[in-house]
Every structure is written in C-alpha cells, then in structure tokens.
Amino acid sequence: MPELTIGRMAKLYGLHRSTLYEAISRGRITAGLNGHGQRVLDLAEMIRVYGEAPTTPDTASTTGAKGLSDTPTASSESTEELVGLVKELLAVTRRQAEKIEALEQHMRRLPLMGSEVDEDQPQEASKPPTSSQVHDKHPFAREMAALKARKHEE
C-alpha cells in the first residue's frame, strides 16, 4: 500500500495533523520513515483505523459515521501531484545517468597510472619520482619537454 506523509494523509482524510500525531503517540497508528526522514503513514494502516478515505471534503458530512465513504478513491489533485513527482524523479535519474556516462568516458581516456613503468627497474616506494622520471612516464610531460628542447635549439 502507498505511504503518505502525515500532512498529506490528514488532508486526504479531512483530519488535522495533530489528530494523526496523537493517534501515533497513543499507538493506534504505526508511522515509519521515508527516504527523506519524514514520518509517513501506510494507507492500509489508515484504512484499518479510520476506514476508507472520503472522496472529497464536501461529501464527508453525507457519508455517514466518521465522514467516511465505502469506496477508496484518490483525489485527482493528489494523483497529478504524484505523477509530477514521478516525472521529476525520472528527469533527475536521466541527468544523473548522463553525468555518469560522461565521467566513465572521461575515465576511459585517462592514461593508467604506472602503465608505462619499466618492469625491469626496481622502484622505491619511499622516494618520490624525479622530474626526469615524470617526464619519461607521462605523455604530456614528454611533449612539453620536447617543445622546450626545440625552443632552446632555435
């Protein structure tokens, strides 16, 4: 069953939020936490305690005891709000997937660290590489050194 925040559930049932908070504190209704740390109520829990939600606030006075109807309905306003939230989440997910793909492509183009290390020469882990060793290992550094050498020759 869907879970809604206490405020949205109160609006759906035509109750005040304080009524739901009191029911939670007395143990009549069980509340949980959603991914955002908000307290939420399961719709099944609300149906168990209060019955089906009224169709509209206007019909609450004509539906009998406790202002509840016999059939569950979701207001078109709350449905539209949920559809909007789902669309927004899909857009965020797509943007994140695009960013991940761009980062993965960028990572594939980067040279592997130490991929050009000469296996025959022992490397000491405690000493940092000298500038000539860096120039020997990194393609960009080699190009820069070559350009500097040409400039000095001219």
Side-chain angles (χ1 to χ4, degrees):
M1 279 279 186
E3 292 181 334
L4 296 174
T5 62
I6 293 172
R8 288 187 178 160
M9 196 66 80
K11 187 175 182 180
L12 178 66
Y13 273 83
L15 301 171
H16 197 274
R17 288 180 305 160
S18 63
T19 304
L20 294 179
Y21 280 111
E22 184 178 336
I24 293 167
S25 67
R26 291 187 178 186
R28 289 185 63 208
I29 303 173
T30 305
L33 292 176
N34 66 9
H36 300 290
Q38 299 170 316
R39 293 176 88 181
V40 291
L41 300 172
D42 191 84
L43 186 57
E45 222 16 50
M46 289 294 290
I47 292 171
R48 179 184 64 80
V49 175
Y50 293 102
E52 298 292 334
T55 55
T56 63
D58 298 336
T59 60
S61 61
T62 61
T63 55
K66 293 186 184 178
L68 303 176
S69 66
D70 294 333
T71 57
T73 59
S75 69
S76 62
E77 190 176 294
S78 64
T79 303
E80 289 173 14
E81 184 179 358
L82 289 174
V83 168
L85 288 173
V86 169
K87 287 180 180 179
E88 185 179 328
L89 286 173
L90 284 172
V92 167
T93 303
R94 284 186 188 111
R95 286 193 304 269
Q96 288 176 338
E98 290 169 358
K99 286 180 181 179
I100 289 170
E101 179 62 30
L103 287 171
E104 286 174 344
Q105 288 177 2
H106 180 71
M107 286 176 53
R108 284 187 214 113
R109 289 183 294 219
L110 292 175
L112 293 176
M113 293 299 291
S115 63
E116 298 178 9
V117 174
D118 187 4
E119 304 271 336
D120 297 333
Q121 287 185 334
Q123 297 283 327
E124 292 185 30
S126 61
K127 291 183 180 178
T130 64
S131 61
S132 63
Q133 288 173 329
V134 171
H135 291 308
D136 293 339
K137 293 180 184 176
H138 198 279
F140 180 75
R142 282 195 305 263
E143 289 293 323
M144 289 301 294
L147 287 173
K148 285 180 183 179
R150 278 191 230 147
K151 185 176 181 181
H152 289 291
E153 291 173 2
E154 294 175 4

